[in-house]
């Protein structure tokens, strides 16, 4: 904000206002160009010119020089004043010649003051100063027309001294405005701090979700690239197979055509020979001279010797070369069967059956769980089993698998026999075996999918529950493990298969399959190992 001292230095001594296009005489004094031109015009008839400030005389009309430094200062000063006026919109009440931004307002005088008039203003206590304001009436009591100096804590209202002593707020607990304001500011600062904390938590959550979104996009892009490469490989193999089959068909067609052409040529020659013999016999039959007829060889001699020999071998039928009725479809079919091999190879490249299935460890099963002979099914029983109580045996209806997984990608499916309360998941072998902290998911050593009796599904880790949509209706579920990637996923085996949730962690120990069978039966359908095919 421009100070009063600086304003005085920038005032023209002729018009007593801030310089407009300031210029300088040789003596060094500055004036507005219009003002000094007007003064010099009045001195034209006197034959001598003088400075209005120092009275230095000039024999000729002085040349006006522009002070660029002063012009820049005046420009910045005017911009500052304009900006200040735009901010407050309030000018000094007493600066009538030119608007000057006000810096304070006096509630008693109901006037706004600039720096210059503020220094001359009364310093008595009744002259209460405030920030510049155009609505000074609002700072006075509407009833007593006195300045609002107090705050009634009971009615939460700003009051004057008359309201407190004789008005409707008489006897109420009151505070000075500054004191009440500071208390309210303190409360607002506490609220502000809580809001800042919440905003930081929200920003952190946003960053976490953005990172998760980025990873999801990267994973989706990777999977899309893999599928594209896989489909490209399939198309290439199918195209190669098509070319191979068409080439084989063309080769066989040419071979058979050549064979049939040779056969046709032989038969044409034989046909001509037979036609010749037929004509000769017809001529003999038409002759009237018996001597000529009888002197001709026997008609049997006119037959083809090969035919006669053939009659004995083939029963009177012509002996034919290879007929070539069909293409060799067996060879073509064998080639086409390689298409199945291509598809099977692709399938096996994605899913290769694991050499070991998931089997339940009967030594970890709770005494109220009955484990089937094939170690695939766990069922809750009403009668307690007489199994030795060891440190590795669970309580509270749980059991884990024999095998632990330390690498690779696996999945295994489960089927629930009844819609009761149950849980499935994976855990470290060091999980607690007793108490609530032993339930899978309700500790930092296990991850689980749960169903409660009210048909509510949720996933749990470290006792943190994430509720899932309530439209799950299937009784089959899939658990997928990617150990190196640190991902454990749960799926509903519906049509199509539906992803429910994926946990992300850094696995540091062997992971075992785990079941909690509260009032149902859970069967493990199978386990397979998943490998990513290299294209």
């Amino acid at each position: 904000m421009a100070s009063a001292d600086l304003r005085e230095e920038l005032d023209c001594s002729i018009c007593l206002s801030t310089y407009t296009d300031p210029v300088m005489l040789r003596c060094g004094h500055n004036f507005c160009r219009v003002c000094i031109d007007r003064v010099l015009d009045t001195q034209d008839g006197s034959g001598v010119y003088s400075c209005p400030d120092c009275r230095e005389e000039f024999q000729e009309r002085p040349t006006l020089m522009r002070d660029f430094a002063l012009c820049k200062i005046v420009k910045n000063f005017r911009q500052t004043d304009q900006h200040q006026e735009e901010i407050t919109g309030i000018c000094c009440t007493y600066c009538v010649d030119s608007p000057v931004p006000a810096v304070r307002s006096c509630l008693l005088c109901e006037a706004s003051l600039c720096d210059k008039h503020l220094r001359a203003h009364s310093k008595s206590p009744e002259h209460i100063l405030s920030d510049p304001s155009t609505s000074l009436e609002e700072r006075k009591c509407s009833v007593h027309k006195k300045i609002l100096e107090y705050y009634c804590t009971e009615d939460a209202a700003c009051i004057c001294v008359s309201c407190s002593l004789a008005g409707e707020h008489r006897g109420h607990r009151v505070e000075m405005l500054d004191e009440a304001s500071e208390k309210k500011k303190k409360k607002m600062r506490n609220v502000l701090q809580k809001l800042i904390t919440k905003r930081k938590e929200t920003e952190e959550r946003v960053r976490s979700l953005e990172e998760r979104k980025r990873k999801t996009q990267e994973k989706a892009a990777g999977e899309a690239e893999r599928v594209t490469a896989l489909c490209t490989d399939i198309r290439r193999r199918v195209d190669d197979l098509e070319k191979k089959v068409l080439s084989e068909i063309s080769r066989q067609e040419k071979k058979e055509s050549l064979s049939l052409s040779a056969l046709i040529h032989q038969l044409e020659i034989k046909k001509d020979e037979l036609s010749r013999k037929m004509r000769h016999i017809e001529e003999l039959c038409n002759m009237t001279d018996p001597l000529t007829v009888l002197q001709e060889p026997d008609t049997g001699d006119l037959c083809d010797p090969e035919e006669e020999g053939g009659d004995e071998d083939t029963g009177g039928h012509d002996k034919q070369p290879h007929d070539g009725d069909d293409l060799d479809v067996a060879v073509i079919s064998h080639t086409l069967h390689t298409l199945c091999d291509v598809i099977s190879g692709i399938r096996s490249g994605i899913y290769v059956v694991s050499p070991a299935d998931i089997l339940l460890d009967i030594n970890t099963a709770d005494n109220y769980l009955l484990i089937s002979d094939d170690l695939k099914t766990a069922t809750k029983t009403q009668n307690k089993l007489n199994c030795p109580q060891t440190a590795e045996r669970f309580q509270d209806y749980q059991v884990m698998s024999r095998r632990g997984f330390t690498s690779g990608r696996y999945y295994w499916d489960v089927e629930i026999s009844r819609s009761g309360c149950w849980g499935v998941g994976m855990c470290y072998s060091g999980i607690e075996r007793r108490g609530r902290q032993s339930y899978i998911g309700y500790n930092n050593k296990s991850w689980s999918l749960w169903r409660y009796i009210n048909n509510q599904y949720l996933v749990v880790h470290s006792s943190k529950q994430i509720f899932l949509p309530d439209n799950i209706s299937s009784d089959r579920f899939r658990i997928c493990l990617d150990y190196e990637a640190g991902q454990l996923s749960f799926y509903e085996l519906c049509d199509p298969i539906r992803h429910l949730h994926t946990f992300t962690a850094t696995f540091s120990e062997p992971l075992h399959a785990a079941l909690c069978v509260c009032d149902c039966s859970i069967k493990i359908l199978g386990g397979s190992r998943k490998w990513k095919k290299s294209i």
Side-chain angles (χ1 to χ4, degrees), residues 58-272:
F58 309 99
Q59 296 302 318
E60 298 180 356
R61 182 167 179 144
T63 302
L64 302 179
M65 297 174 290
R66 193 171 187 183
D67 190 338
F68 291 99
L70 182 60
C71 289
K72 186 175 181 180
I73 294 173
V74 171
K75 180 180 179 181
N76 292 336
F77 181 81
R78 288 185 177 276
Q79 289 178 346
T80 303
D81 271 1
Q82 182 179 4
H83 178 65
Q84 181 64 30
E85 186 174 349
E86 288 175 354
I87 294 177
T88 63
I90 302 171
C91 296
C92 177
T93 305
Y94 303 108
C95 292
V96 294
D97 293 333
S98 62
V100 179
V103 295
R104 301 290 280 173
S105 292
C106 177
L107 302 182
L108 181 64
C109 302
E110 297 184 5
S112 297
L113 311 169
C114 64
D115 280 335
K116 180 178 180 181
H117 290 98
L118 180 61
R119 287 196 297 270
H121 190 70
S122 174
K123 302 296 189 294
S124 58
E126 62 269 16
H127 289 271
I128 300 175
L129 300 176
S130 68
D131 292 333
S133 174
T134 56
S135 55
L136 299 178
E137 277 295 325
E138 295 179 359
R139 310 210 32 124
K140 291 186 177 183
C141 176
S142 59
V143 178
H144 305 101
K145 303 302 179 182
K146 293 185 178 180
I147 298 172
L148 299 175
E149 301 180 76
Y150 302 99
Y151 180 76
C152 177
T153 58
E154 296 184 18
D155 298 331
C158 297
I159 60 176
C160 68
V161 64
S162 298
C163 293
S164 175
L165 297 177
E168 58 183 15
H169 299 278
R170 183 175 56 184
H172 292 182
R173 184 174 178 272
V174 297
E175 297 176 348
M176 297 297 294
L177 289 182
D178 290 343
E179 181 183 356
S181 175
E182 285 303 319
K183 289 182 178 180
K184 188 171 182 178
K185 288 180 181 180
K186 184 177 181 181
K187 291 181 180 179
M188 288 191 294
R189 290 188 187 101
N190 293 334
V191 173
L192 178 61
Q193 189 59 42
K194 292 179 180 179
L195 293 177
I196 292 174
T197 302
K198 287 185 177 180
R199 188 181 67 178
K200 289 182 178 179
E201 293 174 353
T202 304
E203 290 175 348
E204 185 64 29
R205 178 62 176 164
V206 169
R207 282 193 293 269
S208 175
L209 292 176
E210 288 178 344
E211 178 65 17
R212 182 176 174 183
K213 178 183 177 182
R214 183 187 63 80
K215 290 182 178 180
T216 300
Q217 291 173 340
E218 289 179 354
K219 183 177 180 181
E223 289 299 314
E225 183 179 355
R226 184 175 71 90
V227 170
T228 300
L230 188 61
C231 292
T232 301
D233 183 64
I234 293 173
R235 286 190 290 269
R236 179 184 60 79
R237 296 189 186 192
V238 172
D239 289 342
D240 292 344
L241 180 62
E242 179 186 11
K243 293 177 182 178
K244 185 176 181 180
V245 173
L246 293 178
S247 176
E248 176 64 21
I249 293 173
S250 178
R251 186 191 67 78
Q252 291 193 31
E253 183 268 334
K254 290 180 180 179
K255 179 181 178 182
E256 291 301 318
S257 295
L258 291 173
S259 176
L260 292 173
S261 296
L263 177 60
I264 292 171
H265 180 67
Q266 294 176 10
L267 292 177
E268 289 290 343
I269 295 173
K270 187 174 182 179
K271 184 182 71 169
D272 293 341

Side-chain angles (χ1 to χ4, degrees), residues 273-331:
E273 181 65 22
L274 291 173
S275 297
R276 185 187 62 79
K277 289 181 178 181
M278 288 171 59
R279 288 193 301 272
H280 181 64
I281 293 173
E282 288 176 352
E283 289 176 358
L284 291 176
C285 291
N286 294 328
M287 285 186 179
T288 59
D289 183 7
L291 181 61
T292 302
V293 173
L294 291 175
Q295 286 179 347
E296 281 293 326
D298 191 4
T299 54
D301 296 337
L302 297 174
C303 296
D304 187 20
E306 294 183 2
E307 286 185 9
E308 293 177 356
D311 291 342
E312 295 177 359
D313 296 335
T314 62
H317 294 287
D318 290 339
K319 184 178 181 180
Q320 302 289 338
H322 175 64
D323 289 337
D325 293 332
D326 293 310
L327 298 176
D328 190 356
V329 293
V331 176

